[in-house]
Amino acid sequence: MFIQSWDEFAKQAERLYLNNPMACRFCLKYRNEKLILRLTDNHTCLQYKTKYAQDLKKAEKLMSSLLRHMASKEA
Amino acid sequence: MLLENDNFLLELTKLFQQQRVKNSGSLSLIMKRYDGRTKPKPKLTKKQRLEQKSSSISHPTTHETVVEYKCLVRAVYGSKKLSTIVSSKDINRFQLAYSNLLKANMDTLKKKAKENKTTGQTSTNTNSNTPLSPRMTTATTTTATTIASSSSSSASNQQKKTPTTPAKRK
């Protein structure tokens, strides 16, 4: 259910998103002392759970790159 | 509520503050690509589908239209819902402000404990429950160190006893 390593999650997330960028959505759920990240394209769902602050930085980077890609111009 | 980018960021900070005060409930942030459609895509009739098929066979598909995508960002806390649409020219500003916001507000996460080094040096753990072990030159497990420490303490006790006994004899 939950992917254990961050690198695995990042790799699969990129792959899933580039496969079908229109259908993917990236959700982030923050509740006391826990952060849950989810990337889904309504067929498959990748989830990552963490309680550490250093993972927040990594999640930040991933989020920014996805945001840039989503709002970009494409020919 | 659909808001402007700046308003959205302001309201989002308020939501984070509310969550900190209440200390309950979860704040969800969602990001999705958006192509600007306001009407649902209608299903094609049979005629239109046949026309589409024939046209695609005769003209090979060469997309030359530039599509500018936007990003839809939504935030939900309890019953409060916010949303905003970011287009490509606002993306730089929004992305900086957004990442700063997240870093500043998600501060209840723990710091990761440092891993123990194999040379047996004392480790500075913030969250671990292992007691501080004395420095050993050889690599040993914690049980071995406790045994060693107990043996060393008993040896020192014996050493303490031996000098006193000759003193008493004298």
Side-chain angles (χ1 to χ4, degrees), chain A residues 36-61:
Chain A
I36 299 178
L37 306 163
R38 181 166 75 237
L39 183 81
T40 173
D41 72 340
N42 300 325
H43 282 286
T44 47
C45 177
L46 309 163
Q47 284 180 300
Y48 184 76
K49 186 162 62 173
T50 182
K51 52 182 174 174
Y52 295 120
Q54 69 173 42
D55 285 337
L56 177 61
K57 284 190 216 163
K58 296 183 196 168
E60 199 78 53
K61 278 195 200 161

Side-chain angles (χ1 to χ4, degrees), chain B residues 22-129:
Chain B
K22 281 192 198 164
N23 209 18
S24 72
S26 63
L27 182 71
S28 308
L29 293 163
I30 300 161
M31 268 181 3
K32 191 179 179 166
R33 195 181 236 196
Y34 175 54
D35 60 359
R37 67 177 94 157
T38 50
K39 290 185 195 169
K41 214 171 172 184
K43 279 188 179 170
L44 305 168
T45 61
K46 214 168 186 179
K47 244 189 192 178
Q48 287 171 333
R49 257 184 280 156
L50 289 172
E51 280 178 6
Q52 200 183 54
K53 260 189 186 173
S54 61
S55 68
S56 67
I57 289 167
S58 53
H59 311 287
T61 50
T62 50
H63 295 283
E64 288 180 6
T65 54
V66 173
V67 187
E68 187 174 330
Y69 290 108
K70 293 171 261 246
C71 188
L72 178 68
V73 186
R74 274 190 267 138
V76 182
Y77 177 62
S79 61
K80 291 217 178 112
K81 297 182 180 181
L82 311 165
S83 62
T84 191
I85 298 177
V86 196
S87 49
S88 48
K89 57 183 170 70
D90 303 326
I91 187 70
N92 278 321
R93 207 159 49 103
F94 182 81
Q95 189 240 307
L96 276 169
Y98 190 60
S99 58
N100 286 336
L101 193 73
L102 293 188
K103 270 186 267 193
N105 287 311
M106 296 191 171
D107 51 359
T108 63
L109 297 172
K110 294 203 168 88
K111 283 198 181 144
K112 198 162 198 177
K114 285 184 192 170
E115 287 171 12
N116 282 325
K117 291 186 181 176
T118 51
T119 53
Q121 288 175 357
T122 53
S123 57
T124 54
N125 283 335
T126 52
N127 295 328
S128 69
N129 295 324

